[in-house]
Amino acid sequence: GGSYSILQNAYVHGLFLQQAASAGAIHVGGKYIKILHSVVVDNFDPSSSNGSSWSAGVRGFRGEGNEVRYSVIGFTPDYGDASTPNHGDCVNWKHGTTMALPKVATSITNNVCYNATIGVAAGQPSMRIDRNRMIGVDTGARFDDFGGPTQIADEEVTNNTIVGNRAVFWNPIDIWNESADDSSSSQAANPCTGDLPLGSVTMTGNVFGSSSTNPWVELSTGRSNYFWTNIWQANLIVSSNNCYYSSGLANGLFRILTTNDSSVECTGYTRDQGSDFTFAGYQAEGQESGSHNENAALDSTGTATSSNCLDKGALADGAGPSPTPTPLPNEGRGSVFAQ
């Protein structure tokens, strides 16, 4: 809670986060709050039997102008339960605000995230996800309803290095872009079109590496052709100058509105459009100009070394600064919150 606050040089480790309570080791519930140069590791619900987005290193609720920068957030694979490698999200921002756009962006920048279900989970507009290293994540950035009013618009995923199963996932669902100010049980008056204006998700300058066969980028769910027309054909996905590579999926896979949800019928709209694209096919659709299907050959620091990827990713061109702490517990680093 509160606004216009700074928390820096904090070390938050080993907190029990009750999964059902949508918990976070650090909660942000106001405006212009900064989390800087901190270590937030191994805070989750040990009773959870699988990776969960209900536990998060940093949990944000609405607001604008907030920042999470220069920090290390993650989960040790065998900490607490060796069968649960990903205990939660590094950063999870939910309950999208209905404030008029443009609004002051919330920035998640220059962090290291490791062994998480989602690197940055975003359920509100104007998120700037930039220059982060996300290693061992299931999904790098996910735009979705995480419980409550959700608005996805004016989002940017830029210059990140993502090693995991999927780079970006965007899920427009039945309470997305909802106008209600605070209700986790309500939904948009029209669950097919949403209540609020559609907005863009921009992805550029990122490096993604994987060994899985999951889609590199996925726009789900194909509830109706409304989404195909007003998101895909309206060019609200803008993706360029990225490097992708998967040893398990040589030709790439971009899944656009092919996962159908029959739970909601959209009056006046059919549900017969949507397509899977290879990397080459996606480029033929006008996406990924300047992008490459190429192994970035990350070095020990996470810097891309292959010829077409040198200018991409979190550490391109000596960009930084890097987070000042390390992922290891460090006694005496500022404030200590542990149990």
Side-chain angles (χ1 to χ4, degrees):
S3 296
Y4 302 95
S5 303
I6 296 176
L7 174 66
Q8 62 183 356
N9 298 320
Y11 169 43
V12 188
H13 175 263
L15 296 182
F16 180 99
L17 303 179
Q18 186 177 357
Q19 179 177 329
S22 187
I26 298 175
H27 272 242
V28 179
K31 301 178 183 179
Y32 303 100
I33 297 173
K34 298 182 180 182
I35 311 298
L36 307 174
H37 299 288
S38 295
V39 176
V40 187
V41 296
D42 292 331
N43 304 285
F44 60 94
D45 183 349
S47 67
S48 174
S49 60
N50 51 48
S52 170
S53 287
W54 295 112
S55 296
V58 177
R59 172 86 63 185
F61 294 87
R62 301 184 187 84
E64 63 177 330
N66 296 301
E67 301 178 16
V68 181
R69 296 181 184 269
Y70 317 131
S71 295
V72 174
I73 309 170
F75 305 88
T76 305
D78 59 354
Y79 186 88
D81 181 1
S83 67
T84 308
N86 304 107
H87 290 290
D89 303 339
C90 286
V91 176
N92 184 301
W93 227 276
K94 58 189 295 187
H95 296 324
T97 177
T98 60
M99 298 176 64
L101 298 174
K103 59 176 291 183
V104 179
T106 287
S107 299
I108 315 299
T109 308
N110 288 109
N111 303 289
V112 170
C113 165
Y114 64 98
N115 297 334
T117 307
I118 304 173
V120 179
Q124 79 161 31
S126 301
M127 298 289 289
R128 300 291 182 263
I129 304 168
D130 181 62
R131 300 274 181 199
N132 301 287
R133 282 171 281 170
M134 310 181 200
I135 309 301
V137 297
D138 183 65
T139 301
R142 179 168 180 142
F143 301 95
D144 206 337
D145 160 44
F146 295 101
T150 300
Q151 184 183 13
I152 307 301
D154 182 36
E155 318 284 12
E156 295 182 5
V157 183
T158 55
N159 307 305
N160 300 281
T161 299
I162 302 169
V163 178
N165 289 328
R166 183 167 47 192
V168 175
F169 183 92
W170 181 8
N171 186 27
I173 61 173
D174 59 347
I175 69 171
W176 83 298
N177 279 23
E178 194 215 346
S179 61
D181 194 34
D182 185 14
S183 174
S184 60
S185 61
S186 64
Q187 66 178 29
N190 187 332
C192 302
T193 63
D195 296 339
L196 300 172
L198 294 164
S200 63
V201 173
T202 300
M203 297 167 279
T204 187
N206 302 288
V207 167
F208 172 66
S210 179
S211 60
S212 81
T213 57
N214 289 309
W216 294 352
V217 173
E218 182 170 2
L219 173 61
S220 176
T221 298
R223 174 153 291 142
S224 75
N225 291 347
Y226 177 86
F227 290 142
W228 178 265
T229 301
N230 292 282
I231 295 178
W232 174 247
Q233 290 186 333
N235 297 315
L236 293 187
I237 298 177
V238 182
S239 193
S240 64
N241 295 299
N242 300 293
C243 270
Y244 299 94
Y245 174 77
S246 175
S247 60
L249 203 62
N251 295 320
L253 176 58
F254 296 81
R255 177 155 289 163
I256 307 299
L257 296 170
T258 61
T259 305
N260 292 324
D261 183 351
S262 60
S263 66
V264 175
E265 293 296 329
C266 299
T267 303
Y269 295 101
T270 58
R271 192 188 286 111
D272 59 355
Q273 292 179 308
S275 184
D276 285 349
F277 300 98
T278 63
F279 177 77
Y282 205 56
Q283 285 191 313
E285 293 291 318
Q287 294 286 347
E288 301 298 349
S289 172
S291 296
H292 298 273
N293 179 2
E294 174 177 306
N295 188 343
L298 301 177
D299 66 15
S300 60
T301 69
T303 302
T305 64
S306 69
S307 59
N308 289 310
C309 304
L310 287 173
D311 60 344
K312 301 173 179 63
L315 298 176
D317 302 320
S322 299
T324 51
T326 68
L328 299 176
N330 186 352
E331 295 296 336
R333 179 180 297 284
S335 302
V336 177
F337 304 92
Q339 63 181 29

